[in-house]
Amino acid sequence: MEATEVTVNGKIFRAEKGTNLGELLRKEGLAMPCAGMGRCGKCRVHAQGELSEPDAVERKKLSEQELLEHIRLACRTVILGPCRVEWEREAGMEVRLGEKASFGKGEPLFDRLGAAVDVGTTTLAAQLYAKEGLLAQAGAENPQKAYGADVISRVERSLAGEGQELKSAVCGGIGELLRELADRAGVLPEQIDTLVITGNTSMLYLLTGRSPECLSHAPFQADWLAGEWIKADVLGLPCPNARVYFPPCISAFVGADITCAMLHTGLGDAVEPELLADIGTNGEIVLNKGGELFCCSTAAGPAFEGAGLSCGMPGKDGAIFRVEWDGSSLESSVIGGGEAKGICGSGVVDAVSCLLRSGWMDETGFLEEEAVLAEGVELLQEDIRKIQLAKGAIFAGMQTMLHRAALPAREVSRILVAGGFGSSLNIKNAISIGLLPDVEEERVVICGNAALDGAADLLLDGDRRKAAEELARRAVTVELAADEYFKNSYMDGMLFPDEE
């Protein structure tokens, strides 16, 4: 194929004619939440030159004015010859980091320096420890976001032959975090001798370059559940002589992140019934009743992480993160205090709760009119439907665990909410829209990045590995796909509670 020049933000690239523009820009960090399927319309760029004509998808997603101003969707645009492209890089999003972990009775897994890493679908978070304690911690967006906002999109890309690219992306992101941690602590990354890396099962498959084929179809039986050591050089990390421990996963869609979260919160040892929920694109739920552990995974989609909505965005500067109803109008608060550019997950929950209280939306999710939250930022009817699907999945997963244990929600002593989204959640509003069970607010405990905290617990006390392995062994995964109770609860969960 004949090559041509493509100038991106002043930097010249060589690309073959016929190359999809999105494929080129993805390597430069352009996010495509829908994995380049043209559904989200988020990959807007300013592009001029020898390019394909806008197709039907672009003409639907872009206004006539935008097309006149040479705004294009990168995922739908083909390079035909020399062209110039400009796009504004997004500011980094706020990443929920962990707490300072404590040493246990056993020996730490590391000799000199050790790192704990949580590989989330949306973000990466890491901590660096020495024998004297926490040296530094940092977070960043998961570079795999360029391959899709959710796990399913990335699995599809891996099966399409891009597994090594996905591995390189996330390993590169982890490597950058380790360099940042080392720089902050005044040490060399090569001095790190041990890492504990946690994440959901799919993310660990993609991280290690394994084919996720077994996770892509029924019966969804993982052929690898981690719980083992490898060398860091296999991952191309900047500490090649280090060893890496992956905590045990529970099943195909209940991963090591939940094992670590259970370890850190003590859920597995709870005397009274407790429920743990990590609410994200892949909602993972565990219930402990009398020592029995019931768990499940439910695909909530990326709506609560700022993707997939018309004005959705991650929790970064410009995102509406809080919405209040003053009795006559909606009042929005923006991260960074500037002009609103979109709305993130916590703002979505608040906004929906306010729409219910105001009467602008009924319990079926029907909007009387588009909900304007700020100039240029609104929730459309199609956004509400996506939110209903997401919260219905989480609600149904929780209800199914309670049903399996024959346990009413009122008898659960604590509901532990983990994950970045949960950390900024308004509990009252989450209950009011039916995302969380209708219990007293004081019984809901926000526990932050419990996965990273649990990974750090393992790093600081090698004896805790046995406890983690035992938790993974004890947990019984409830398959929701064929569960009639789940299906019925899902339909019920899509409705919003009556404010009465």
Side-chain angles (χ1 to χ4, degrees), residues 25 96 98 114 117 132 159 162 168 192 245-246 248 263 277 326 349 357 359 391 394 406 424 450 454 458 480:
L25 299 184
R96 180 62 56 177
V117 182
E132 59 266 29
L159 295 178
E162 297 181 79
S168 296
I192 299 172
Y245 177 65
F246 296 110
L263 180 73
D326 66 5
V349 172
R357 289 202 304 275
K391 79 103 179 174
I394 298 297
S424 53
L458 286 168
L480 300 181

Short mmCIF file of all heavy atoms in Angstrom, two decimals, residues 25 96 98 114 117 132 159 162 168 192 245-246 248 263 277 326 349 357 359 391 394 406 424 450 454 458 480:
data_model
loop_
_atom_site.label_atom_id
_atom_site.label_comp_id
_atom_site.label_asym_id
_atom_site.label_seq_id
_atom_site.Cartn_x
_atom_site.Cartn_y
_atom_site.Cartn_z
N LEU A 25 -4.90 7.35 15.49
CA LEU A 25 -4.96 8.24 16.65
C LEU A 25 -5.07 7.49 17.95
O LEU A 25 -4.67 8.00 19.01
CB LEU A 25 -6.13 9.22 16.50
CG LEU A 25 -6.08 10.16 15.29
CD1 LEU A 25 -7.24 11.12 15.32
CD2 LEU A 25 -4.76 10.92 15.24
N ARG A 96 -9.06 6.98 42.10
CA ARG A 96 -9.21 6.65 43.51
C ARG A 96 -8.05 5.76 43.95
O ARG A 96 -7.87 4.66 43.45
CB ARG A 96 -10.54 5.93 43.75
CG ARG A 96 -10.79 5.53 45.19
CD ARG A 96 -10.86 6.72 46.13
NE ARG A 96 -11.86 7.69 45.72
CZ ARG A 96 -12.15 8.79 46.40
NH1 ARG A 96 -11.50 9.06 47.52
NH2 ARG A 96 -13.06 9.62 45.96
N GLY A 98 -5.49 4.10 47.21
CA GLY A 98 -5.79 3.28 48.38
C GLY A 98 -5.44 3.97 49.69
O GLY A 98 -4.97 5.11 49.74
N GLY A 114 8.52 -3.05 47.22
CA GLY A 114 7.40 -3.79 46.64
C GLY A 114 6.31 -2.85 46.19
O GLY A 114 6.14 -1.76 46.75
N VAL A 117 -0.56 -3.10 42.67
CA VAL A 117 -1.17 -2.47 41.49
C VAL A 117 -2.58 -3.01 41.31
O VAL A 117 -2.80 -4.23 41.36
CB VAL A 117 -0.35 -2.74 40.21
CG1 VAL A 117 -0.99 -2.04 39.02
CG2 VAL A 117 1.10 -2.31 40.39
N GLU A 132 9.89 0.40 55.73
CA GLU A 132 9.42 1.41 56.68
C GLU A 132 7.99 1.87 56.39
O GLU A 132 7.43 2.67 57.14
CB GLU A 132 10.35 2.62 56.69
CG GLU A 132 10.52 3.31 55.35
CD GLU A 132 11.72 2.81 54.58
OE1 GLU A 132 12.09 1.63 54.77
OE2 GLU A 132 12.29 3.60 53.80
N LEU A 159 -9.70 -10.97 20.48
CA LEU A 159 -10.03 -12.12 19.64
C LEU A 159 -9.88 -11.79 18.15
O LEU A 159 -9.73 -12.70 17.32
CB LEU A 159 -11.45 -12.61 19.94
CG LEU A 159 -11.66 -13.15 21.36
CD1 LEU A 159 -13.12 -13.55 21.57
CD2 LEU A 159 -10.74 -14.34 21.62
N GLU A 162 -5.75 -8.46 18.23
CA GLU A 162 -5.04 -7.33 18.82
C GLU A 162 -4.65 -7.59 20.26
O GLU A 162 -4.44 -6.66 21.04
CB GLU A 162 -5.89 -6.07 18.72
CG GLU A 162 -6.18 -5.64 17.29
CD GLU A 162 -7.00 -4.38 17.21
OE1 GLU A 162 -6.43 -3.29 17.38
OE2 GLU A 162 -8.22 -4.49 17.00
N SER A 168 0.43 -4.72 25.51
CA SER A 168 1.45 -3.67 25.51
C SER A 168 0.91 -2.37 26.09
O SER A 168 1.62 -1.65 26.80
CB SER A 168 1.96 -3.43 24.08
OG SER A 168 2.61 -4.59 23.58
N ILE A 192 12.69 -2.28 42.49
CA ILE A 192 11.45 -2.97 42.91
C ILE A 192 11.65 -4.46 42.66
O ILE A 192 11.96 -4.88 41.54
CB ILE A 192 10.23 -2.45 42.12
CG1 ILE A 192 10.03 -0.96 42.39
CG2 ILE A 192 8.98 -3.25 42.49
CD1 ILE A 192 8.97 -0.32 41.50
N TYR A 245 3.13 -11.37 41.60
CA TYR A 245 2.11 -12.30 42.10
C TYR A 245 0.74 -11.81 41.69
O TYR A 245 0.39 -10.64 41.89
CB TYR A 245 2.18 -12.41 43.62
CG TYR A 245 1.10 -13.31 44.21
CD1 TYR A 245 1.08 -14.68 43.94
CD2 TYR A 245 0.10 -12.78 45.03
CE1 TYR A 245 0.09 -15.51 44.47
CE2 TYR A 245 -0.89 -13.60 45.57
CZ TYR A 245 -0.89 -14.96 45.28
OH TYR A 245 -1.87 -15.78 45.80
N PHE A 246 -0.05 -12.71 41.10
CA PHE A 246 -1.45 -12.43 40.77
C PHE A 246 -2.33 -13.15 41.80
O PHE A 246 -2.33 -14.38 41.86
CB PHE A 246 -1.80 -12.94 39.37
CG PHE A 246 -1.05 -12.24 38.27
CD1 PHE A 246 -0.08 -12.92 37.54
CD2 PHE A 246 -1.32 -10.92 37.95
CE1 PHE A 246 0.61 -12.28 36.53
CE2 PHE A 246 -0.63 -10.27 36.94
CZ PHE A 246 0.34 -10.96 36.23
N PRO A 248 -5.60 -14.90 43.54
CA PRO A 248 -6.53 -15.82 42.87
C PRO A 248 -7.85 -15.16 42.48
O PRO A 248 -8.42 -14.38 43.25
CB PRO A 248 -6.75 -16.92 43.91
CG PRO A 248 -6.47 -16.25 45.23
CD PRO A 248 -5.38 -15.26 44.95
N LEU A 263 -10.66 -9.64 51.30
CA LEU A 263 -9.57 -9.77 52.26
C LEU A 263 -9.42 -8.49 53.06
O LEU A 263 -9.31 -8.52 54.30
CB LEU A 263 -8.27 -10.07 51.51
CG LEU A 263 -7.02 -10.25 52.37
CD1 LEU A 263 -7.07 -11.58 53.11
CD2 LEU A 263 -5.76 -10.19 51.50
N ALA A 277 -20.27 -4.77 47.10
CA ALA A 277 -20.55 -4.50 45.69
C ALA A 277 -19.49 -3.58 45.12
O ALA A 277 -19.25 -2.49 45.67
CB ALA A 277 -21.93 -3.88 45.52
N ASP A 326 -33.35 22.37 44.21
CA ASP A 326 -33.66 23.38 45.23
C ASP A 326 -35.15 23.66 45.36
O ASP A 326 -35.56 24.60 46.03
CB ASP A 326 -32.90 24.68 44.94
CG ASP A 326 -33.36 25.36 43.65
OD1 ASP A 326 -34.33 24.89 43.01
OD2 ASP A 326 -32.75 26.38 43.26
N VAL A 349 -26.09 9.87 39.02
CA VAL A 349 -26.96 9.36 40.09
C VAL A 349 -27.72 10.51 40.74
O VAL A 349 -28.94 10.42 40.97
CB VAL A 349 -26.13 8.59 41.14
CG1 VAL A 349 -27.00 8.23 42.36
CG2 VAL A 349 -25.55 7.32 40.53
N ARG A 357 -37.46 13.44 42.08
CA ARG A 357 -38.05 14.28 43.13
C ARG A 357 -38.81 15.46 42.55
O ARG A 357 -39.83 15.89 43.08
CB ARG A 357 -36.96 14.78 44.09
CG ARG A 357 -36.39 13.72 44.99
CD ARG A 357 -35.76 14.31 46.24
NE ARG A 357 -34.73 15.30 45.93
CZ ARG A 357 -33.45 15.00 45.68
NH1 ARG A 357 -33.07 13.73 45.67
NH2 ARG A 357 -32.57 15.95 45.43
N GLY A 359 -40.37 15.55 39.76
CA GLY A 359 -41.53 15.15 38.97
C GLY A 359 -41.31 15.29 37.48
O GLY A 359 -42.21 15.01 36.69
N LYS A 391 -28.37 0.35 36.19
CA LYS A 391 -28.78 0.21 37.60
C LYS A 391 -29.68 -1.01 37.79
O LYS A 391 -29.66 -1.64 38.84
CB LYS A 391 -29.43 1.49 38.10
CG LYS A 391 -30.87 1.75 37.72
CD LYS A 391 -31.78 1.45 38.89
CE LYS A 391 -33.23 1.72 38.54
NZ LYS A 391 -34.14 1.29 39.63
N ILE A 394 -27.26 -3.97 38.37
CA ILE A 394 -26.69 -3.98 39.72
C ILE A 394 -27.75 -4.38 40.74
O ILE A 394 -27.52 -5.23 41.61
CB ILE A 394 -26.12 -2.59 40.08
CG1 ILE A 394 -24.98 -2.20 39.12
CG2 ILE A 394 -25.64 -2.56 41.52
CD1 ILE A 394 -23.78 -3.09 39.18
N ALA A 406 -31.72 -16.61 50.89
CA ALA A 406 -32.97 -16.49 51.64
C ALA A 406 -32.84 -15.43 52.73
O ALA A 406 -33.17 -15.65 53.91
CB ALA A 406 -33.38 -17.84 52.24
N SER A 424 -17.35 8.20 45.31
CA SER A 424 -17.92 9.55 45.21
C SER A 424 -19.45 9.54 45.20
O SER A 424 -20.09 10.54 44.89
CB SER A 424 -17.41 10.23 43.93
OG SER A 424 -17.65 9.41 42.80
N ALA A 450 -10.83 -0.85 47.55
CA ALA A 450 -10.55 -2.01 48.40
C ALA A 450 -9.71 -3.06 47.69
O ALA A 450 -9.00 -3.83 48.34
CB ALA A 450 -11.87 -2.63 48.88
N GLY A 454 -6.38 -4.39 49.30
CA GLY A 454 -6.18 -5.82 49.54
C GLY A 454 -4.89 -6.33 48.91
O GLY A 454 -4.20 -7.18 49.49
N LEU A 458 -1.64 -8.04 50.92
CA LEU A 458 -0.90 -9.25 50.52
C LEU A 458 0.59 -8.97 50.42
O LEU A 458 1.43 -9.78 50.83
CB LEU A 458 -1.42 -9.77 49.18
CG LEU A 458 -2.79 -10.46 49.20
CD1 LEU A 458 -3.30 -10.64 47.78
CD2 LEU A 458 -2.68 -11.81 49.89
N LEU A 480 -25.81 -15.96 36.42
CA LEU A 480 -27.04 -15.19 36.29
C LEU A 480 -27.73 -15.38 34.94
O LEU A 480 -28.93 -15.14 34.83
CB LEU A 480 -26.74 -13.70 36.48
CG LEU A 480 -26.14 -13.31 37.84
CD1 LEU A 480 -25.92 -11.80 37.89
CD2 LEU A 480 -27.05 -13.75 38.98
#
